[in-house]
Amino acid sequence: MGRFLQIAGLVIGLAGLVLQACITIPASMEAGRSFLGSIIFLFSFFTILTNIGAVLVHTSLLSPSGYAWLPAFAGPRMRAGVAVSIALVFIVYATVLAQLWQPQGLFLFCDVLLHYVTPVLFVLWWLVAGADGRTRWSDISWWMTYPIAYLAYALARAPIAGEVPYPFLDVAKNGAASVALAALVVTGVFLVLCILAVLADKGVSRLRAPGVRR
């Protein structure tokens, strides 16, 4: 089951990312951005970066011998961190962003793949095969650096590029207080997911090895 979820997550995630790039970059250039600007625009989305992380985790563990092809993405801390991050992608999109726009055609297809399908596949894979009881409470501080660094990048880029990847980060339109509140809420949700991930990791490891203390 774990291997099936891994392969499915890798194939669907990679296909979704490639297709998203193929349709977003030309559309972005039609909107007036340069080719380089369009690439930067694409990679300015938390969803894209996190799905890339998920694909790299799956790729790193493809070797049947257990050899890590990409050691930086194969470790338990990275696996759990990506699970938390991609769960956030699912939650924020389903509860907030899906109400703000109505993509059509291939854009809708990519949205479904990258916001719903790949997060579910990755979290299921992590619970079935990726969690091993080796995460620590101290890992949470390491995981938190990703959304905080992303937030800093998005806010720093906004006045330069004149755009934000997500509407709730638009200081010019919503005001600093509104953006700060939105960032605080999302960060709080991420922190809760981190705590749940550590608890789930420890719980799953006990279920796999009953009677063994870790």
Side-chain angles (χ1 to χ4, degrees):
M1 182 62 173
R3 193 65 169 178
F4 168 78
L5 291 170
Q6 180 189 15
I7 298 299
L10 173 61
V11 172
I12 294 174
L14 189 58
L17 287 168
V18 170
L19 181 58
Q20 185 73 74
C22 289
I23 62 177
T24 297
I25 291 176
S28 177
M29 293 177 68
E30 288 181 8
R33 298 183 188 90
S34 66
F35 178 68
L36 178 59
S38 297
I39 293 175
I40 294 173
F41 172 73
L42 174 67
F43 287 98
S44 292
F45 287 87
F46 189 85
T47 296
I48 299 298
L49 298 175
T50 306
N51 271 276
I52 290 173
V55 165
L56 291 175
V57 168
H58 286 318
T59 302
S60 71
L61 300 169
L62 275 179
S63 171
S65 66
Y67 174 76
W69 290 355
L70 298 170
F73 289 88
R77 184 167 63 174
M78 179 64 79
R79 298 196 302 264
V82 172
V84 170
S85 299
I86 208 162
L88 184 71
V89 167
F90 178 99
I91 291 170
V92 172
Y93 189 82
T95 60
V96 179
L97 297 176
Q99 328 303 324
L100 301 181
W101 53 57
Q102 291 76 42
Q104 303 294 325
L106 289 177
F107 284 99
L108 174 60
F109 182 62
C110 285
D111 265 16
V112 171
L113 288 185
L114 299 179
H115 292 104
Y116 294 118
V117 180
T118 56
V120 169
L121 286 174
F122 192 91
V123 172
L124 285 178
W125 167 80
W126 180 70
L127 290 172
V128 170
D132 59 7
R134 288 190 288 167
T135 59
R136 300 291 180 264
W137 292 110
S138 59
D139 291 337
I140 292 179
S141 60
W142 187 81
W143 297 335
M144 291 293 295
T145 60
Y146 174 42
I148 292 173
Y150 174 80
L151 176 63
Y153 162 76
L155 294 179
R157 178 178 177 270
I160 299 172
E163 61 187 10
V164 291
Y166 300 105
F168 55 80
L169 295 179
D170 194 338
V171 176
K173 181 178 180 180
N174 303 321
S178 176
V179 171
L181 178 60
L184 185 62
V185 170
V186 173
T187 302
V189 172
F190 188 86
L191 179 58
V192 170
L193 290 173
C194 289
I195 294 171
L196 293 175
V198 175
L199 294 174
D201 181 67
K202 295 181 183 300
V204 167
S205 68
R206 291 192 185 99
L207 288 175
R208 289 180 187 158
V212 177
R213 294 182 63 87
R214 291 183 182 270

